[in-house]
């Protein structure tokens, strides 16, 4: 084996120009693959983060049927018990919300919105809205004032400024229209333009008053998990612990099937990318290796005469291919990792496509992300494709008749 | 030996089959060996025609004859590098026709050594690595390999300075010595040398032949040469002349 490794390695450098062309082609393909995967993964992560940060955390607990039909009549039963059980796990942060569709009115405009009541102290631990404030401040910790926080785009649409008042209207549990005037204390801007145009935040108690909830009622409990805690496993555990048939405990995967599907499609796109890029490379490899074996027919014959078995001839050619792939991967991978690490720090400004990206919940500055699992899968596929590419020349080389090979001119 | 006696000897070998040579079991037994090639125009060409050939262990035999007489073909068949059209080749008790490609490769590795006219060293390996090639394939430990190669190089008069040179940096004579070292180092039962002196000047050729004859006497390794070279024929203890694919003469000189 060691002699075959030695021969394979030295064979690569018999024609350095040809080897470097192959290595460079592989390096470019690996770089393109890693760059694309990193951007796709970065985009995917931003969308998922948006969904988790703005729309219900990792897990959301609600009354059964709330997800399909989110009305104020479906609320979390015995929310105090739910809170108590969730609070037992230190790795989970949670906050209560009331949510209702309603209208927001300024002096000039009106718009349909989702009115969410939150406990500002707890909410900042499960939602990124407070971090997205670009003007003013988030709701004050004490929840008595008539304060509202809204998207800057919505404020623009309503033609209102920070500090001005708006009127919020919503139906209460008795189907009576409740209304109140609220002063705008903060304007936020998130990655999602749709979200910014349709969501306003009040103090939890203010919202409860608006829709006729008692101080013990809430529409949802949003959970944010510490890293390392799996949402699916945690949801299953909670389901068992809470043991309430009238509760609905959903992870973000279950609440956002479209997002999950998009994520899967992006992973599929990664696979197609690898196949397309490396199929092209595979044909270059096939061509090169056919040239290689025709140049070395006599040598292969001599090796065979001296006792090298057909399988060892194939192994030797495979080793050459593997060395070339390793070199190409190392060169392309090193350049890609350095550049992606830099891009992931500074981001890629895609302001020109900001509107389109925003509709997907992605920011106009994309931060590529190196997902080692996806990269490993890609590399496995590269190796499989390359080994498949070298299969034909390797089998051909191992089937030369020894006597013909030795006499080959 | 008259043509008539040659024909009768050949015919007798063909009918009687292989027999012990001087009471020794033969190392090589080729029986009714036929090899027919197709030329470029797909016309069948008979390279060997019902040849019976036996060689005892320790022989130093030259197979000579004009071009196209079948001597290289006979060597290739004995070495398991080629398959006969009909007939059988038994080497060291093993029927080569019954072996798979893998078995043949392993058999060659453990029993045979080859010396070619064009040296045929592996260009990416140094002289030492070429010489120890078969030992590496056999899995012999590094220190043993090195010792054996150094000893062989000393026997063959290969300068120590050359051991790390690649074939391209060696003269023809030096390359052929390395090739001989490669064939000898694993102490095979049989060495098949196809025109080993053809590309060498007469002085170098004579020196290498003397070395090989000396090794044959010392170690008992059997040498079979295919040759045109009178120097080889002079030194051989047995001279087999092939003509038109048949043994025309078989002269044992003792």
């Amino acid at each position: 084996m060691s002699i075959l490794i030695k021969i394979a390695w030295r064979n690569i450098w018999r024609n350095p120009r040809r080897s470097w062309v192959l290595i460079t082609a592989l390096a470019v393909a690996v770089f393109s693959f890693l760059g694309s995967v990193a951007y796709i993964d970065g985009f995917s992560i931003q969308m998922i983060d948006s969904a988790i940060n703005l729309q219900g955390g990792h897990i959301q607990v609600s009354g059964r049927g709330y997800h399909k039909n989110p009305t104020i009549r479906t609320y979390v039963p015995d929310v105090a018990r739910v809170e108590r059980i969730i609070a037992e796990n230190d790795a989970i942060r949670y906050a209560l919300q009331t949510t209702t569709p309603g209208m927001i009115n300024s002096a000039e405009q009106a718009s349909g919105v989702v009115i969410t009541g939150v406990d500002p102290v707890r909410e900042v631990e499960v939602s990124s809205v407070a971090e997205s404030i670009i003007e003013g401040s988030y709701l004050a910790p004490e929840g008595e004032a008539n304060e509202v926080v809204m998207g800057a785009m919505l404020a623009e649409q309503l033609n209102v400024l920070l500090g001005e008042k708006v009127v919020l209207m919503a139906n209460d549990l008795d189907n009576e229209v409740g209304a109140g005037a609220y002063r705008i204390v903060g304007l936020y801007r998130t990655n999602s333009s749709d979200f910014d145009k349709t969501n306003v935040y009040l103090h939890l108690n203010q919202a409860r008053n608006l829709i006729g909830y008692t101080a013990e009622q809430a529409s949802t409990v949003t959970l944010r998990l510490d890293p390392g805690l799996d949402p699916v496993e945690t949801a299953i555990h909670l389901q068992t612990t809470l043991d309430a048939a009238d509760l609905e405990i959903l992870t973000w995967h279950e609440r956002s099937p479209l997002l999950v599907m998009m994520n899967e499609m992006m992973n599929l796109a990664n696979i197609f990318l690898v196949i397309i890029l490396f199929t092209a490379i595979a044909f270059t490899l096939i061509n090169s290796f056919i040239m290689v074996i025709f140049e070395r027919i006599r040598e292969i014959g001599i090796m065979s005469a001296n006792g090298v078995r057909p399988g060892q001839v194939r192994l030797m050619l495979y080793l050459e291919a593997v060395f070339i792939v390793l070199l190409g991967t190392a060169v392309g991978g090193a350049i890609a990792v350095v550049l992606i690490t830099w891009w992931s720090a500074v981001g890629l400004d895609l302001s020109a496509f900001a509107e389109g990206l925003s509709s997907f919940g992605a920011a106009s500055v994309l931060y590529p992300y190196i997902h080692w699992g996806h990269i490993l899968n890609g590399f496995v596929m590269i190796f499989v494709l390359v080994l498949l590419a070298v299969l034909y020349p390797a089998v051909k080389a191992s089937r030369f008749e020894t006597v013909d090979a030795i006499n080959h001119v | 030996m008259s043509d008539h006696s040659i024909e009768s000897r050949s015919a007798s070998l063909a009918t009687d089959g292989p027999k012990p040579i001087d009471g020794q079991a033969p190392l090589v037994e080729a029986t009714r060996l036929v090899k027919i090639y197709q030329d470029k125009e797909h016309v069948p060409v008979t390279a060997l025609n019902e040849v019976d050939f036996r060689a005892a262990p320790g022989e130093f035999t030259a197979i000579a004859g004009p071009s196209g007489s079948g001597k290289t073909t006979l060597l290739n068949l004995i070495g398991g590098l080629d398959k006969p059209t009909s007939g059988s080749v038994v080497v060291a008790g093993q029927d080569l026709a019954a072996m798979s490609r893998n078995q043949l490769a392993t058999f060659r590795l453990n029993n045979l050594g080859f010396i070619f006219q064009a040296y045929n060293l592996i260009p990416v390996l140094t002289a030492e690595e070429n010489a120890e090639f078969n030992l590496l394939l056999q899995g012999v430990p590094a220190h043993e390999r090195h010792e054996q190669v150094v000893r062989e190089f000393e026997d063959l008069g290969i300068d120590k300075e050359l051991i790390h040179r690649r074939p391209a940096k060696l003269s023809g004579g030096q390359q052929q010595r390395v090739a001989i070292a490669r064939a000898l180092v694993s102490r095979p039962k049989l060495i098949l040398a196809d025109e080993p002196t053809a590309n060498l000047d007469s002085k170098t050729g004579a020196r290498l032949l003397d070395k090989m004859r000396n090794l044959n006497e010392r170690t008992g390794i059997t040498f079979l040469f295919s040759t045109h070279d009178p120097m080889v024929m002079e030194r051989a203890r047995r001279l087999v002349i092939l003509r038109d694919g048949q043994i025309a003469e078989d002269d044992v000189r003792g």
Side-chain angles (χ1 to χ4, degrees):
Chain A
M1 178 72 173
S2 65
I3 189 70
L4 297 178
I5 293 172
K6 199 180 276 182
I7 293 173
W9 175 254
R10 290 182 190 171
N11 274 340
I12 293 173
W13 305 113
R14 286 169 79 168
N15 192 333
R17 191 187 301 173
R18 181 167 58 202
S19 295
W20 276 116
V21 166
L22 279 174
I23 291 165
T24 307
L26 271 159
V28 169
V30 167
F31 173 77
S32 311
F33 162 67
L34 291 184
S36 304
V37 168
Y39 275 105
I40 288 173
D41 283 341
F43 183 67
S44 185
I45 284 168
Q46 276 184 273
M47 285 198 307
I48 291 168
D49 278 352
S50 284
I52 292 169
N53 289 334
L54 302 175
Q55 294 166 19
H58 291 110
I59 297 171
Q60 196 175 58
V61 180
S62 61
R64 183 150 299 279
Y66 179 81
H67 182 64
K68 270 193 179 169
N69 183 22
T71 73
I72 56 172
R73 296 188 191 288
T74 311
Y75 45 82
V76 181
D78 197 359
V79 71
R81 177 177 166 264
V82 172
E83 271 191 278
R84 197 175 58 249
I85 288 173
I86 292 170
E88 285 170 4
N89 190 336
D90 293 339
I92 302 175
R93 285 150 291 146
Y94 70 94
L96 306 184
Q97 295 89 22
T98 62
T99 307
T100 182
M103 289 288 293
I104 185 165
N105 298 277
S106 69
E108 294 177 25
Q109 298 284 335
S111 183
V113 288
V114 175
I115 303 164
T116 304
V118 296
D119 169 357
V121 177
R122 285 198 170 279
E123 188 69 11
V124 293
E125 293 189 7
V126 299
S127 158
S128 65
V129 172
E131 293 166 17
S132 309
I133 297 286
I134 54 166
E135 212 177 325
S137 60
Y138 195 54
L139 300 168
E142 300 304 322
E144 301 311 319
N146 282 10
E147 294 176 340
V148 66
V149 165
M150 69 173 75
M153 292 174 92
L154 178 61
E156 212 171 290
Q157 197 177 308
L158 295 170
N159 204 13
V160 289
L161 297 171
L162 187 72
E164 291 183 350
K165 278 192 171 179
V166 288
V167 172
L168 291 172
M169 294 161 53
N171 280 24
D172 64 16
L173 285 171
D174 297 326
N175 268 339
E176 297 292 333
V177 175
Y182 300 84
R183 191 172 300 281
I184 304 166
V185 295
L187 300 174
Y188 64 81
R189 189 183 299 279
T190 68
N191 291 340
S192 171
S193 53
D194 285 348
F195 183 86
D196 292 2
K197 284 176 190 168
T198 54
N199 284 276
V200 299
Y201 291 88
L202 315 177
H203 285 285
L204 184 60
N205 287 337
Q206 299 282 339
R208 279 173 171 152
N209 289 340
L210 188 67
I211 59 176
Y213 271 14
T214 66
E216 283 77 39
Q217 283 179 303
S219 308
T220 53
V221 185
T222 294
L223 280 67
R224 189 73 187 255
L225 311 183
D226 282 354
L229 213 54
D230 181 64
V232 177
E233 283 174 15
T234 309
I236 292 168
H237 177 73
L238 279 175
Q239 193 76 59
T240 316
T241 319
L242 289 166
D243 189 27
D246 47 0
L247 279 177
E248 197 165 66
I249 301 169
L250 298 177
T251 64
W252 68 267
H253 310 86
E254 292 161 313
R255 294 194 317 271
S256 313
L258 193 66
L259 195 60
V260 172
M261 194 182 76
M262 277 182 72
N263 202 28
E264 280 169 5
M265 280 176 67
M266 284 181 184
N267 290 340
L268 205 62
N270 283 344
I271 293 168
F272 278 119
L273 189 72
V274 175
I275 291 172
I276 290 165
L277 272 175
F278 289 94
T279 301
I281 298 292
F283 279 104
T284 314
L285 269 172
I286 291 172
N287 188 36
S288 293
F289 271 82
I290 286 174
M291 280 163 65
V292 160
I293 63 159
F294 278 106
E295 282 167 10
R296 294 196 214 139
I297 290 177
R298 193 182 175 89
E299 250 172 82
I300 291 166
I302 296 305
M303 290 171 74
S304 169
N306 279 291
V308 173
R309 294 191 301 274
Q312 290 174 310
V313 172
R314 286 196 293 275
L315 177 65
M316 184 182 73
L317 286 165
Y318 272 129
L319 286 170
E320 282 184 42
V322 166
F323 286 143
I324 285 175
V325 173
L326 284 176
L327 286 168
T329 305
V331 173
I335 296 170
V337 167
V338 169
L339 283 179
I340 292 167
T341 306
W342 176 65
W343 271 324
S344 64
V346 299
L348 181 72
D349 191 357
L350 298 173
S351 306
F353 312 103
E355 206 170 319
L357 288 166
S358 184
S359 62
F360 286 105
S364 58
V365 178
L366 266 182
Y367 294 92
Y369 175 78
I370 299 177
H371 188 304
W372 292 107
H374 290 168
I375 287 168
L376 188 68
N377 288 345
F379 282 162
V380 169
M381 286 185 67
I382 291 167
F383 271 89
V384 170
L385 280 173
V386 166
L387 293 183
L388 282 174
V390 181
L391 184 67
Y392 168 70
V395 168
K396 195 171 176 60
S398 68
R399 286 188 179 168
F400 286 141
E401 288 300 331
T402 310
V403 69
D404 296 334
I406 290 171
N407 294 320
H408 184 81
V409 182
Chain B
M1 207 178 277
S2 71
D3 280 352
H4 174 74
S5 68
I6 293 160
E7 276 169 20
S8 59
R9 181 190 168 99
S10 190
S12 145
L13 284 169
T15 45
D16 298 341
K19 289 175 181 170
I21 304 168
D22 300 332
Q24 275 187 298
L27 180 67
V28 178
E29 296 176 51
T31 309
R32 291 178 168 276
L33 216 47
V34 175
K35 180 67 188 181
I36 301 171
Y37 292 110
Q38 301 255 321
D39 70 5
K40 284 177 186 169
E41 280 82 38
H42 300 287
V43 177
V45 176
T46 305
L48 290 176
N49 186 11
E50 297 271 337
V51 168
D52 288 309
F53 173 81
R54 284 179 292 154
E59 279 192 17
F60 197 79
T61 297
I63 300 167
S67 291
S69 59
K71 50 191 188 299
T72 298
T73 304
L74 179 59
L75 234 59
N76 287 340
L77 293 173
I78 292 169
L81 302 178
D82 202 358
K83 298 261 182 195
T85 308
S86 67
S88 73
V89 181
V90 176
V91 179
Q94 304 281 309
D95 182 0
L96 303 191
M99 290 187 189
S100 67
R101 287 167 70 97
N102 275 334
Q103 287 169 327
L104 273 173
T106 307
F107 178 78
R108 286 194 295 263
L109 175 63
N110 295 323
N111 296 282
L112 307 181
F114 291 91
I115 302 167
F116 299 97
Q117 178 181 339
Y119 328 131
N120 287 335
L121 299 176
I122 296 167
V124 293
L125 298 180
T126 63
E128 185 182 18
E129 289 162 346
N130 264 291
E132 66 178 10
F133 187 73
N134 291 14
L135 297 178
L136 274 158
L137 292 174
Q138 287 173 337
V140 175
H143 66 279
E144 280 182 42
R145 287 198 312 262
H146 182 72
E147 276 173 23
Q148 284 172 255
V149 168
V150 167
R151 193 173 55 235
E152 219 61 67
F153 276 16
E154 278 172 7
D155 274 359
L156 289 162
I158 300 170
D159 199 325
K160 275 185 183 171
E161 285 176 10
L162 304 180
I163 64 171
H164 297 302
R165 286 199 197 165
R166 291 200 184 176
K169 302 274 182 188
L170 300 174
S171 69
Q174 288 166 341
Q175 287 190 56
Q176 193 60 302
R177 280 165 206 253
V178 174
I180 294 169
R182 177 178 65 188
L184 286 169
V185 77
S186 59
R187 290 291 179 266
K189 294 187 175 79
L190 173 64
I191 289 191
L192 298 162
D194 186 12
E195 307 273 12
T197 54
N199 287 348
L200 303 176
D201 62 78
S202 56
K203 207 171 154 188
T204 309
R207 205 179 300 142
L208 284 180
L209 284 169
D210 289 338
K211 290 273 181 197
M212 285 192 263
R213 169 109 188 208
N214 180 266
L215 276 163
N216 165 259
E217 283 162 5
R218 274 196 298 122
T219 61
I221 294 174
T222 307
F223 280 77
L224 283 184
F225 293 89
S226 144
T227 189
H228 282 110
D229 188 347
M231 286 194 305
V232 180
M233 294 186 237
E234 278 166 24
R235 284 165 176 78
R237 283 197 297 274
R238 179 182 170 198
L239 178 63
V240 176
I241 307 286
L242 278 176
R243 195 169 295 134
D244 297 330
Q246 291 191 309
I247 292 176
E249 201 170 323
D250 191 345
D251 181 15
V252 180
R253 285 109 171 241

